[in-house]
Structures are given as C-alpha cells and as structure tokens.
C-alpha cells in the first residue's frame, strides 16, 4: 500500500505556531471564535477580533513582538514604523527585540475631507529619508488601506521597506508584493444576513460588539472647551 503523502515538516510547524499565536490572542479576550457576530457593517460572521484588546497584555505583546523581530533579524533595520496605538505598542516590542536596535517612529491616521489619511509628524521626517531601511508593523491587517498609505509615504521619502510584520492578516489582502510576515494569516467569511448559514441554523446573533460602540459610558469621555 502506498504511503500517504507526508506534510512538509516546516508547514506543520507553521500551523502549530499559528495555533499558539491564536491561543494567545484568545487569552487577551480579543479573539472570539465559534460565535455568530453582527459586524458594524451589518454583515454576520463566526469569528471576530477586537483590535483594541490585542495589545493589553504586555508580556504577550513582548513575546509576539520578539517572534516578528526574529523573522526579520537577518536584515538590518534602521526604523520601525507603524500607525495607530495598538500597532505602536507592538512596534516598540519588535524594535526592542531586533538585533539592529532600530528606532521607533509612527505615523498618525485620520480622516480629512472624507478621505482616509496617514501623515508623519514633522519631527520624524528627517529620520526617514533616502536609503533608510524601514520595517513596517501593523497589529491587524484587514483591508490593508492604512498600510498601503504608509507604504506610499515611506517610498515617497526614498526609504526602503525591509518588510511588513503583523499579528493578524486577512489572506486576501494584497500589499504590493512586499515581504509580509504575520503571526496569524486567516480569512473568515462574512455573510449578508439574508444568506447567513448561522442565521439559517437559528444560532442566536451576538450584537455585543456593535452595541458597545454606540453605548459608551458618559464617564469614559472628558472634555473641556478651549477659548
Ligand atoms: Zn447570521
């Protein structure tokens, strides 16, 4: 009887590693699986990740950052660059663990005239120039829009992109052929409510994540009028 084809050991190792990373994200409370979740877009899904919770456990973030740093350790890096608070925390951990001892800078993101925008604080602009070797870090890559803006910004300044490191990446995202390393690469299907198989099975819909967005406790906002 012919032997069943054996899986490539490095692929098996990769799968195991990915499972461990997923388990770590689960322990932060960020990752929900086997659920029936309403997304802010109105679509339904069975898996959900709460971005803001991903980097709340310092020792986990440091460990995951070190794994990303190790992957890129063979290439010299001058600058680690990110946007957004979660990615910045992670990028600090990556830079701390990278043998080149790169510096950490960040872009800021926002909306301007209905357009998504990434900009680099003026103080950082001299740190990214012709020939600078930059490693871009993101926590979760879902549409890739922010990352694409960041890539354009870095390339326009003449810096070289060593690669992109992230915790989670939806596999369908194309990042212009740049070397990407993600701890978890996973795509989960989203369904139109009318065609959702979980609805058809009668599984109760979890609206918690959408509801939470609209019901912020008043005590979590403080403001003052500037004259
Ligand atoms: Zn559904």
């Amino acid at each position: 009887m012919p032997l069943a084809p054996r899986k490539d050991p490095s692929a098996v190792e990769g799968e195991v590693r990915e499972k461990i990373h997923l388990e770590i994200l689960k322990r932060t409370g960020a990752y929900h699986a086997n659920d029936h979740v309403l997304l802010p877009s109105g679509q339904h899904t069975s898996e959900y990740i709460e971005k803001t919770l991903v980097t709340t456990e310092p020792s986990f973030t440091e460990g995951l950052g070190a794994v990303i740093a190790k992957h890129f350790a063979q290439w010299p890096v001058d600058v680690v660059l990110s946007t957004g608070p979660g990615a910045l925390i992670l990028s600090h951990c990556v830079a701390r663990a990278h043998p080149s001892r790169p510096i950490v800078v960040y872009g800021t993101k926002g909306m301007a005239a209905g357009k998504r925008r990434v900009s680099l604080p003026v103080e950082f602009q001299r740190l990214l120039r012709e020939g600078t070797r930059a490693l871009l870090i993101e926590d979760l890559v879902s549409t890739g829009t922010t990352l694409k803006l960041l890539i354009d910004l870095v390339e326009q300044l003449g810096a070289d992109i060593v690669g992109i490191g992230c915790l989670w990446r939806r596999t369908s995202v194309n990042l212009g052929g740049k070397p990407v390393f993600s701890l978890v690469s996973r795509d989960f299907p989203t369904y139109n409510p009318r065609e959702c198989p979980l609805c058809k099975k009668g599984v109760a819909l979890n609206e918690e994540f959408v509801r939470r967005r609209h019901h912020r406790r008043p005590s979590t906002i403080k403001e003052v009028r500037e004259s």
Side-chain angles (χ1 to χ4, degrees), residues 62-84:
E62 282 177 13
L64 297 172
V67 177
I68 297 174
K70 193 176 168 200
H71 177 85
F72 290 104
Q74 52 190 309
W75 295 284
V77 173
D78 304 306
V79 172
V80 174
L81 178 68
S82 63
T83 59

Side-chain angles (χ1 to χ4, degrees), residues 36 44-45 191 193 196-200 205:
H36 180 198
H44 295 186
T45 183
Y191 307 104
C196 174
L198 297 156
C199 281
K200 280 186 187 141
L205 183 65

Side-chain angles (χ1 to χ4, degrees), residues 8 12 18 46 48 53 68 92 96 110 118 144 147 161 164 183 190 200 203 223:
D8 171 16
V12 173
E18 184 148 324
S46 59
Y48 187 67
L53 291 179
I68 297 174
H92 173 98
R96 186 73 185 83
V118 167
L147 210 41
I161 296 173
I164 298 160
L183 297 183
T190 54
K200 280 186 187 141
V203 181
E223 51 194 6

Side-chain angles (χ1 to χ4, degrees), residues 119-130:
S119 61
L120 195 66
V122 166
E123 296 84 346
F124 291 153
Q125 285 175 11
R126 65 177 184 84
L127 301 172
L128 272 171
R129 50 177 182 243
E130 196 85 24

Side-chain angles (χ1 to χ4, degrees), residues 123-141:
E123 296 84 346
F124 291 153
Q125 285 175 11
R126 65 177 184 84
L127 301 172
L128 272 171
R129 50 177 182 243
E130 196 85 24
T132 304
R133 293 160 298 191
L135 175 60
L136 311 191
I137 297 296
E138 183 61 288
D139 41 7
L140 312 177
V141 181

